[in-house]
Structure formats: C-alpha cells, structure tokens
Amino acid sequence: MKRTRAVSALRWIAVVAVFAVGGTATAYGITRLDREDVPGLAAPTERLWEYPRLSAAPLPSDSPAPFADEDDPGAHHADLRALVLPAPKGAVEDRALRGSEGWLATDDFLAEYAEPDRAALRQTLVDTGLRHVAARGWTTEDGTHTRVYLLRFGTAAVADDLFHQQLARQGAPGHRVRGAERAVHDADFPDASGIAEIRRSVYDETRPYGAEHVRQAYLSAGDVVAVVLLSREGTVDTVPFVQTLALQTQLLA
C-alpha cells in the first residue's frame, strides 16, 4: 500500500514539476502546498523538500534552448553550472562537490563507483570526450545524502550512446555505485521523464542494504548526462527522490 501511495505521489509531482520551470518563468515551489493537497503523502516521513524558487538558466544572446536548436540538436548553450539543482532549504551543502570554480574533477565524480567499474568508466569518459562535470551535493535533516552530477559531452549523440550502452543498461546499472553493488531497475518508477527529448532510467538497491540504502537515476538530456544519487541509513524516502529527479529534469529541458 505504501508503494502505491508513493507512485501516486510520484505521478503528481512529475505533473507539477512540468509547470515548475519553463522558459524564464519562476517556479513557486511544490512544497508551498499543504500536505493535504498532495495525493499520496500520508506517511510523515514521505515529506517534500522545500527547494528555492527555480528559473531556467540564462542563455547567451541569440542562443536557442537545447531542444529548439535545429543546427545542433540537444546542445545546452547555458552554463552547465547553472543547470545543477540547488540544495533544498535547511540542507547542509557538500562544498567539496563545487570543485574549482564550479567544475568538478572527473576523478571526484568517479569516486562514486566501485572498482573495477571505476577504472572502466574512467576510460570510457576519456574515449567519449567528456568536457566538463558540474555537481552539487547536500545532506538533509533526515540524514539523506544527495549528489547530482552533470556531465557534458561534445554532441547529444555521444551522450545518448553513453547513457544507453554504458550507464543505463536494462535490468541493472552498467557500473556499480559504491555501497550499492546490488541494484536493479526500479520497475515501479515510470520510464518516461515527462519530456519527450529526455530519457531516464532509475535503479534501486536490493535488500539487504549495505550501511546505507542507495537509490540512483540517470538522465540523457541532449549533450548532458545527469547522475542523481541519494543514500541514507535505513531507507531513502520515495517522494524527495522523485521530487529531486523531476526538478533536475526540468532544469535540463
């Protein structure tokens, strides 16, 4: 029953998030609604995080939106660092993930993965011409540790191939995240991101969990691949995971 309620909340949040960020419109925040107005939020632990108001990242003069660029489809002309979801209210930010001037070293991203997968993924990123990594991380009051990584490549075709062939394989992720060596495709999570141009694949750690429960998701959004990881001692709540993923998806649209 709890799973059904969570999926209902997921669908509702995804719909709301479609209106949260668009063009230069400002988002007024999902969490400004009362709990009784949100279907599926019966359990007190399944609470929404209060994110700051979000707006689309500014584009250079005369630059099109990523999926409106006929000459270079899927190209994000906005600063990649402006496309990363900010931390919610009350969270303690992991300043180390800001990197140097907002750019994270590739090895710092790769530290999320277990060996020998880490070495294999490192070579793949070299071969595919990874350009930049921008990231943000935070820990909320309930102990959930969130990390969001955006990886930019030379073309949308390269990013999409990495997503399908290396990261988001059917059944299980292509590379094992540290602490979640046993993870499978989350069949309860809809494959559709709500945006036709953005692909999504979501995985959940299988029981018994390690020291922490880890949930992970991958997005293919034009020339950008997003990696979203949430971990927590006990269980990662479904609703904030869905909310975080939905809002990051919107920022990449």
Side-chain angles (χ1 to χ4, degrees), residues 225-236:
V225 170
V227 180
V228 179
L229 303 171
L230 273 71
S231 58
R232 177 177 180 244
E233 184 177 347
T235 303
V236 173

Side-chain angles (χ1 to χ4, degrees), residues 68-155:
D69 191 343
E70 295 181 358
D71 296 325
D72 192 5
H76 285 82
H77 299 286
D79 190 321
L80 187 67
R81 294 166 292 187
L83 297 175
V84 187
L85 187 66
K89 181 179 179 180
V92 177
E93 186 168 359
D94 183 352
R95 302 295 299 181
L97 288 187
R98 290 282 188 148
S100 176
E101 298 183 354
W103 300 118
L104 188 71
T106 302
D107 279 348
D108 289 337
F109 162 67
L110 289 169
E112 293 283 5
Y113 292 88
E115 293 287 12
D117 300 61
R118 186 185 309 173
L121 183 55
R122 178 185 289 109
Q123 187 59 53
T124 296
L125 295 179
V126 171
D127 294 342
T128 52
L130 174 66
R131 290 187 171 184
H132 299 292
V133 179
R136 191 160 291 141
W138 60 83
T139 301
T140 48
E141 292 181 359
D142 67 352
T144 302
H145 184 203
T146 301
R147 289 89 76 203
V148 178
Y149 300 94
L150 301 187
L151 287 65
R152 173 175 272 160
F153 297 87
T155 66

Side-chain angles (χ1 to χ4, degrees), residues 2-253:
K2 181 178 179 181
R3 193 70 172 183
T4 300
R5 289 197 300 266
V7 172
S8 296
L10 181 156
R11 290 170 179 157
W12 188 89
I13 291 170
V15 170
V16 174
V18 168
F19 298 96
V21 181
T24 58
T26 298
Y28 287 91
I30 295 171
T31 53
R32 293 181 182 274
L33 297 177
D34 293 330
R35 289 184 57 83
E36 57 266 26
D37 294 329
V38 184
L41 293 187
T45 57
E46 295 279 318
R47 69 175 186 267
L48 293 160
W49 290 343
E50 185 178 349
Y51 281 99
R53 295 186 178 189
L54 304 177
S55 58
L59 289 166
S61 180
D62 298 324
S63 295
F67 301 111
D69 191 343
E70 295 181 358
D71 296 325
D72 192 5
H76 285 82
H77 299 286
D79 190 321
L80 187 67
R81 294 166 292 187
L83 297 175
V84 187
L85 187 66
K89 181 179 179 180
V92 177
E93 186 168 359
D94 183 352
R95 302 295 299 181
L97 288 187
R98 290 282 188 148
S100 176
E101 298 183 354
W103 300 118
L104 188 71
T106 302
D107 279 348
D108 289 337
F109 162 67
L110 289 169
E112 293 283 5
Y113 292 88
E115 293 287 12
D117 300 61
R118 186 185 309 173
L121 183 55
R122 178 185 289 109
Q123 187 59 53
T124 296
L125 295 179
V126 171
D127 294 342
T128 52
L130 174 66
R131 290 187 171 184
H132 299 292
V133 179
R136 191 160 291 141
W138 60 83
T139 301
T140 48
E141 292 181 359
D142 67 352
T144 302
H145 184 203
T146 301
R147 289 89 76 203
V148 178
Y149 300 94
L150 301 187
L151 287 65
R152 173 175 272 160
F153 297 87
T155 66
V158 169
D160 193 60
D161 186 67
L162 175 71
F163 172 83
H164 286 291
Q165 301 300 323
Q166 293 287 331
L167 298 176
R169 292 178 179 173
Q170 187 175 11
H175 296 283
R176 296 171 302 146
V177 170
R178 286 189 303 110
E181 283 78 4
R182 301 180 306 276
V184 296
H185 182 262
D186 190 343
D188 292 326
F189 207 107
D191 290 332
S193 68
I195 300 172
E197 297 87 354
I198 297 181
R199 308 288 184 267
R200 178 177 68 193
S201 196
V202 181
Y203 304 93
D204 197 2
E205 183 180 4
T206 59
R207 293 180 183 273
Y209 302 146
E212 295 184 317
H213 173 214
V214 181
R215 301 191 70 167
Q216 55 189 297
Y218 297 87
L219 298 171
S220 175
D223 59 357
V224 173
V225 170
V227 180
V228 179
L229 303 171
L230 273 71
S231 58
R232 177 177 180 244
E233 184 177 347
T235 303
V236 173
D237 287 341
T238 299
V239 170
F241 176 63
V242 172
Q243 181 191 16
T244 299
L245 188 55
L247 292 177
Q248 182 57 71
T249 299
Q250 287 299 314
L251 286 174
L252 292 170

